[in-house]
Amino acid sequence: MSEPEPKPGAALRPAAPGPAKSSVLNLRVAAAVIAVVVMALMPYYLTDFWLLTGLFAMAAALGAIGLNILSGTTGQLSLGHAFFLAVGAYGYMYFSGDSGRSGTHDISGLGLPPFIALILAVLLAGAVGGLFSPISGRLRGMYLGIATLALVFIGEHVMINAHSVTGGYNGRAAEPMEFFGFTLADEDPYLEVAGVEFAKYERLWYLALALLVIGIIVARNLLRGRPGRALGAVRDSEIAAAVMGVPVARFRSMAFVVSSMYAGLAGVILALVFGRMIPEYFGLALSIDYLAMIVIGGLGSVGGAVAGAVFVTVLPQLFAHYAASLPLVVESGGDGVGPTEAARYLYGAAIVLVLLFSPGGLAGLVRRVRTPRTTPRTPARSRSAHSKEPQGAAS
Amino acid sequence: MTKLSEIVLNGLALGSVYALIALGFVVIFKASGVMNFAHASLLLLGGYVIAQLHDELGFAGALLVGVVVTAAGAGLIEMLFIRGLGKVELHVLTILTIGIDILLTTELVRRIGSDKLSLGDPWGAKSVEVFGANVAQARIAAIVVAVVLITLFFMAFRYTAWGLSMRAASEDREAAALMGVRMKRVQLVAWCVAGALAAVAAVFLTASPTPGLDRTTGFVALKAFPAAVLGGMDSALGALIGAMMIGLTEALAAGYQSDLDALGGGASGIAPYVVMILILLWRPTGLLGSKELSRV
Amino acid sequence: MKPRKGTRAAAAVIAILALSATACSTKEKDKDPAPNGSGNAGQLKTGAGVSDTEIKVGELSDLSGPFAPLGKSVTNAEALYYEQLNAAGGVCNRQVKVEVKDHGYDPQKAGTAYTELSGKVVGISQLVGSAIVTQLKDQIEKDGILTLPQAWPSTLLGKKVIQVTATTYDVEIINGISYLAKNVGLVSGDKVGHIFSDDEFGANSNAGAKYAAQQAGFSLVEQKIKPTDADMTAAISAMKSAGVKAIIVSASPRQVGPIMGGTETAGFKVPVLAHSVGFHPQLLALVGAPMEARLYVASPVPSINTDMPLLTKLVADYKAKYPDQPIDQGVLSGYTTAAMFGEALKAACKAGDLTPAGVMAAHRAQTSLDLGYGAKLDFSSPDKPPTYQTYILRVDKTVPSGLKTVEQAFESPGARTYTLPKPS
């Protein structure tokens, strides 16, 4: 177990951007707004393949932000993130779906309006995360990590056997999202904007983008405010945090709830995008993907989580798409290193290299490029200043 | 009654194999403070080397080379990746081992492809009768070998200089270093020991009656996680007890599946995890794990 | 965050960007390729995937995941078929071009790979992985392109666009049990074991086994296993203590091998019936003797090493084209599936409609297609498999596929009286 080192202060330093910061902040806001607008224009240019990849990446980004709050900021290792995504996805399908048949089984549903179902599914995921708090409150470090591993396996078993809710192996179709008669699907109503047909993926793009923007803003505010500092203190030293009056147990389980809600939201988006979810999707590999995202992106950083999610989601697609024009990579089915393998190598290597040479992940790299004067403002930043970096990283 | 004794014996044999893997987890955890997720690929590496060489070198020779290669592989991981990192957060190290596992597994799976490889073990399909139950010879061999190796391990832990250093190191790393314990060597040896145990486990995982090594053989390591954790991550004895519990639970849940229908069938796969959660709720650091003491 | 000056400046930039962007979007909507001129080929109607010289067929396979062995054999065999078809002049004076995408059994990759095919191909002549088909089936139905999956659960029935290519698992096991009952002498009242994997394949097969057992008066001892399990000793102990007279296995080679080995070591040498997807020639090196003695394989196609003109030619051609690749049942499955698709293309060409809808209509109009290995295939009903027949194969170490046909295509009485699970 990591030995608790009392090092108070740093993590709790109040976020007080000096007056000199405001212009920097202005610039950042402007950059963010431009980024959002560029994203909003994407459906005019991207083909279905890239739209779908982008949708997966946005869903993954939301999930990664959630896991980052839990593992990056609070330091609770979770291998069970896939389970909470599943809760969100199946929760949405259950709340919005009608009772009927899927394959050989009867399935039930509440038939609620999709938007209400989305909110309920996110709340449900949070509640399930809260139910895990007797375990998350008691276990530390690796014990918690392996206990969450159990969630994935037990969850898979439940998903396969709870036919009436999940549809079993066959999965279950998801109702399309709908706002006052406007459906986020190919038809109903037919929509064309500036000569481009707005079908399912184009429409979902804006929903996902809006949710992602909200998710990022909420997470940033959360982490910069009191809760974020408290969570960082819990990670650095529970005892020190407790001494300073942070209710440790409550914050630990709060992190679990918030993280599960993000995962649930990601699950709902995935269900909408896929149109049908099967239990096989939510395996251990998915949990590990999310861990990889936050590590590659940079533990504790919201922007890093998003970057990591994009990296992990888009990389295999790039390889698959451009396999023919890459040197050393043979097309699928041939002998030698195929695109899938090449993507796996790069993915594994990225994790290892990032941790060895830039433990702050992509976010840490960006930070290092910038002026070193910037004093740590968020608890996330304080960590890299305090944890010993490997010798190799300094050069 | 034969059914019960058959199931119990097989459960113990399965537990012995888990014990070999779980001991590896514990040794590494004690030395480096990390849960080694790359163990699955080390196991696969050991099996793959033995499968490739047994035709030329015979089973014993191949086994020896396999054990050495896997031990060296584990040692290499320690030297290249773990050592330099020094003191970082627990899950950073853990995730690092996941990255290593992805690299190594991808390469091995690419080589193994869709093949099912024989390791050329000498037991074949032969069986012996114990307490009226027919049990594969390989399973008995697994128990015997595990008992021998684990006894050797405990003796080494107790009586050799390395064992003393290990124990000192897991008590207090800095104090041990100050007392002149060569931490680097202690850690390196720990990783090598774990690798060697994994290679031996690979043999019994792929021997009759579950013949053949394939790309998914390494997954078994995932079942040794609960074993190591429920016994207590830093207790070798705990790992042994945990492994036996997991092996027996799994075998009993599968063998008496028809009596457990209410759980939706096929519950034996998740039984180890359920047992683990229940025990952790009762004892948050496992059965024999040392309590986390906090010095303020 | 409060709005600041920078925001306003950004807003201006954005407005400009937005205006210019909407004005000149370059996105080509690949979903509606302009219907090709009906000039050259007289009245021929064409649509997605068909140009004046080329017909594009999609394949969505697993070449890097758990089903890679099947995926590779099928992909190779399909390539061989289309090569021969092109050498013989193609279809409608057009060469067939295959576009293969690998999904690695990952639903996310399958989803994106599908978008690269839909709208650009006339149909999909290979889709590996039951779960992947399930994942994509709603979308395939909406896009209306004929798809031939390499998976045979009856839950895939009921959609006009998805053609299950052979006898479904449940019907196959009904036929298999009837053969077993006759040939190893099972009588009413006997106990029969069923070890099945906890997935769609196992569940579907279990439905058939239940029906067959009830019809014949057997009592079925069920044992569910995880698809990733390799240790079968506990399952075997349960079977042994229940005293079953035969074991039916609906699982992958990963489990069939240990079951053969485990029953042998336990001295429990009962006959075992498995599906052809549960057999792999490499098992012979590991548990050859027990398999030779008492394994029966129920299959929708004969052994590829059967002495039939089509099959001997296929084996020879395949060996010539892929000398290093193993010859297994996947080769036959791939070749016949491609042939099924080729016949649909030819029929569509004859009918003068090579649009995706035309190909599907032409395909569904075939009621008695004979591909040369015996079975007559009837594609007219989406709710039924094209055939109810099953072959029984047994182990033969002397041939490359490791299997020989011991019973030609037959249909047991239970095959048609069994009610297929109501499609959704």
Side-chain angles (χ1 to χ4, degrees), chain A residues 43-141:
Chain A
Y44 290 96
Y45 297 99
L46 296 183
T47 58
D48 275 359
F49 176 81
W50 293 112
L51 277 178
L52 192 52
T53 304
L55 282 166
F56 287 142
M58 285 195 271
L62 277 167
I65 292 171
L67 185 60
N68 216 348
I69 291 172
L70 184 67
S71 297
T73 309
T74 327
Q76 304 183 81
L77 180 64
S78 170
L79 287 160
H81 214 51
F83 172 72
F84 296 106
L85 269 107
V87 172
Y90 282 110
Y92 171 78
M93 290 187 270
Y94 176 76
F95 291 132
S96 67
D98 292 317
S99 296
R101 286 183 76 83
S102 168
T104 51
H105 289 277
D106 287 322
I107 53 170
S108 53
L110 300 183
L112 297 171
F115 189 67
I116 308 282
L118 180 143
I119 293 168
L120 286 178
V122 172
L123 292 177
L124 177 73
V128 173
L131 282 180
F132 198 65
S133 67
I135 296 172
S136 64
R138 282 170 69 83
L139 303 185
R140 297 288 179 274

Side-chain angles (χ1 to χ4, degrees), chain B residues 149-172:
Chain B
L149 284 179
I150 291 165
T151 312
L152 278 177
F153 172 83
F154 276 105
M155 285 170 67
F157 205 62
R158 188 100 202 98
Y159 298 113
T160 66
W162 172 75
L164 188 64
S165 310
M166 268 293 287
R167 279 180 291 147
S170 61
E171 286 291 322
D172 187 332

Side-chain angles (χ1 to χ4, degrees), chain A residues 28 61 64-65 68 212 216 219-220 223-224 293-294 296-311 360-364 366-367 380-381:
Chain A
R28 300 187 75 190
I65 292 171
N68 216 348
L212 179 59
I216 291 176
R220 287 185 80 100
L223 293 182
R224 283 182 178 182
M293 289 172 201
I294 64 168
I296 293 174
L299 290 173
S301 147
V302 174
V306 176
V310 171
F311 181 88
L362 296 175
V366 171
R367 218 172 294 142
R381 283 161 177 230

Side-chain angles (χ1 to χ4, degrees), chain C residues 15-282:
Chain C
I16 295 163
L17 267 174
L19 280 174
S20 58
T22 43
C24 58
S25 168
T26 49
K27 179 172 171 175
E28 34 163 338
K29 205 57 196 168
D30 36 64
K31 270 190 175 161
D32 329 298
N36 213 287
S38 48
N40 290 357
Q43 296 301 314
L44 187 67
K45 261 172 74 182
T46 61
V50 180
S51 71
D52 286 347
T53 54
E54 213 175 79
I55 299 174
K56 219 177 210 175
V57 175
E59 289 181 36
L60 201 47
S61 187
D62 178 3
L63 300 170
S64 55
F67 292 96
L70 175 70
K72 250 179 180 166
S73 288
V74 171
T75 306
N76 288 343
E78 295 216 3
L80 176 67
Y81 172 82
Y82 289 119
E83 190 183 286
Q84 291 173 351
L85 182 69
N86 286 337
V91 176
C92 267
N93 293 320
R94 288 163 170 81
Q95 295 282 297
V96 176
K97 194 161 172 283
V98 183
E99 175 122 13
V100 184
K101 297 280 170 201
D102 171 27
H103 61 59
Y105 205 61
D106 170 354
Q108 201 157 306
K109 278 188 82 182
T112 47
Y114 176 77
T115 63
E116 289 197 282
L117 294 179
S118 82
K120 288 178 200 135
V121 295
V122 72
I124 295 177
S125 77
Q126 179 194 176
L127 181 48
V128 169
S130 198
I132 302 293
V133 186
T134 304
Q135 177 87 67
L136 292 174
K137 67 183 179 185
D138 300 333
Q139 208 168 358
I140 294 173
E141 186 176 36
K142 195 170 58 65
D143 294 342
I145 46 181
L146 177 64
T147 300
L148 308 182
Q150 286 288 330
W152 301 268
S154 52
T155 37
L156 292 182
L157 295 171
K159 296 216 185 292
K160 205 176 169 200
V161 287
I162 294 177
Q163 175 64 61
V164 177
T165 59
T167 318
T168 49
Y169 298 128
D170 42 7
V171 175
E172 183 165 281
I173 219 65
I174 293 171
N175 288 335
I177 290 175
S178 98
Y179 175 88
L180 209 61
K182 239 179 283 168
N183 289 273
V184 304
L186 300 176
V187 293
S188 179
D190 279 350
K191 282 185 174 169
V192 173
H194 189 204
I195 301 178
F196 59 102
S197 61
D198 196 1
D199 54 18
E200 201 165 8
F201 161 42
N204 189 231
S205 183
N206 184 243
K210 271 196 179 116
Y211 178 80
Q214 179 221 326
Q215 289 290 302
F218 304 145
S219 81
L220 198 67
V221 180
E222 297 178 12
Q223 184 84 16
K224 211 190 259 182
I225 52 168
K226 289 267 173 244
T228 47
D229 276 356
D231 189 274
M232 296 288 120
T233 43
I236 291 166
S237 295
M239 291 288 152
K240 192 180 169 189
S241 74
V244 302
K245 291 275 173 23
I247 299 176
I248 302 150
V249 184
S250 304
S252 72
R254 190 169 157 71
Q255 285 96 25
V256 173
I259 287 171
M260 296 314 296
T263 45
E264 195 77 3
T265 35
F268 180 46
K269 300 179 182 177
V270 291
V272 174
L273 172 72
H275 296 261
S276 55
V277 289
F279 178 85
H280 196 275
Q282 269 180 341

Side-chain angles (χ1 to χ4, degrees), chain A residues 13-393:
Chain A
R13 192 173 296 157
K21 290 274 161 51
S22 70
S23 65
V24 178
L25 199 67
N26 255 349
L27 265 175
R28 300 187 75 190
V29 170
V33 174
I34 288 176
V36 168
V37 173
V38 169
M39 284 292 284
L41 291 175
M42 283 298 142
Y44 290 96
Y45 297 99
L46 296 183
T47 58
D48 275 359
F49 176 81
W50 293 112
L51 277 178
L52 192 52
T53 304
L55 282 166
F56 287 142
M58 285 195 271
L62 277 167
I65 292 171
L67 185 60
N68 216 348
I69 291 172
L70 184 67
S71 297
T73 309
T74 327
Q76 304 183 81
L77 180 64
S78 170
L79 287 160
H81 214 51
F83 172 72
F84 296 106
L85 269 107
V87 172
Y90 282 110
Y92 171 78
M93 290 187 270
Y94 176 76
F95 291 132
S96 67
D98 292 317
S99 296
R101 286 183 76 83
S102 168
T104 51
H105 289 277
D106 287 322
I107 53 170
S108 53
L110 300 183
L112 297 171
F115 189 67
I116 308 282
L118 180 143
I119 293 168
L120 286 178
V122 172
L123 292 177
L124 177 73
V128 173
L131 282 180
F132 198 65
S133 67
I135 296 172
S136 64
R138 282 170 69 83
L139 303 185
R140 297 288 179 274
M142 220 46 237
Y143 289 96
L144 180 61
I146 304 295
T148 52
L149 184 66
L151 275 183
V152 175
F153 291 103
I154 297 174
E156 226 168 16
H157 183 74
V158 171
M159 277 185 268
I160 286 175
N161 285 291
H163 288 289
S164 67
V165 176
T166 62
Y169 323 104
N170 222 330
R172 170 168 193 168
E175 288 293 317
M177 181 51 68
E178 191 195 308
F179 294 99
F180 311 108
F182 184 80
T183 316
L184 303 187
D186 286 346
E187 300 281 314
D188 192 25
Y190 178 84
L191 182 67
E192 206 180 274
V193 180
V196 175
E197 185 198 339
F198 266 43
K200 183 179 163 189
Y201 296 146
E202 282 88 355
R203 298 178 196 199
L204 280 173
W205 183 273
Y206 292 101
L207 176 71
L209 184 60
L211 292 174
L212 179 59
V213 169
I214 296 171
I216 291 176
I217 292 172
V218 168
R220 287 185 80 100
N221 286 342
L222 191 74
L223 293 182
R224 283 182 178 182
R226 279 179 60 86
R229 294 198 295 280
L231 293 173
V234 169
R235 181 200 58 221
D236 290 338
S237 164
E238 288 196 6
I239 292 164
V243 167
M244 280 181 290
V246 176
V248 172
R250 220 180 68 207
F251 272 100
R252 280 177 68 99
S253 68
M254 188 204 92
F256 233 102
V257 170
V258 173
S259 144
S260 307
M261 286 170 76
Y262 271 94
L265 184 58
V268 176
I269 295 174
L270 285 169
L272 288 169
V273 173
F274 274 121
R276 175 181 282 272
M277 291 303 319
I278 49 170
E280 257 129 328
Y281 180 74
F282 302 102
L284 179 62
L286 190 68
S287 283
I288 289 185
D289 278 351
Y290 276 93
L291 269 184
M293 289 172 201
I294 64 168
V295 169
I296 293 174
L299 290 173
S301 147
V302 174
V306 176
V310 171
F311 181 88
V312 169
T313 314
V314 176
L315 181 78
Q317 303 288 1
L318 274 176
F319 270 86
H321 198 71
Y322 295 111
S325 41
L326 288 174
L328 299 176
V329 174
V330 298
E331 284 213 54
S332 292
D335 289 322
V337 179
T340 313
E341 282 120 1
R344 296 288 296 169
Y345 284 128
L346 208 61
Y347 170 53
I351 297 176
V352 173
L353 292 176
V354 161
L355 287 177
L356 284 181
F357 299 111
S358 171
L362 296 175
L365 274 180
V366 171
R367 218 172 294 142
R368 222 180 296 165
V369 170
R370 284 209 205 125
T371 47
R373 283 179 277 141
T374 331
T375 45
R377 252 187 310 130
T378 64
R381 283 161 177 230
S382 74
R383 194 182 53 83
S384 56
H386 281 266
S387 63
K388 241 187 268 169
E389 289 193 39
Q391 286 89 338

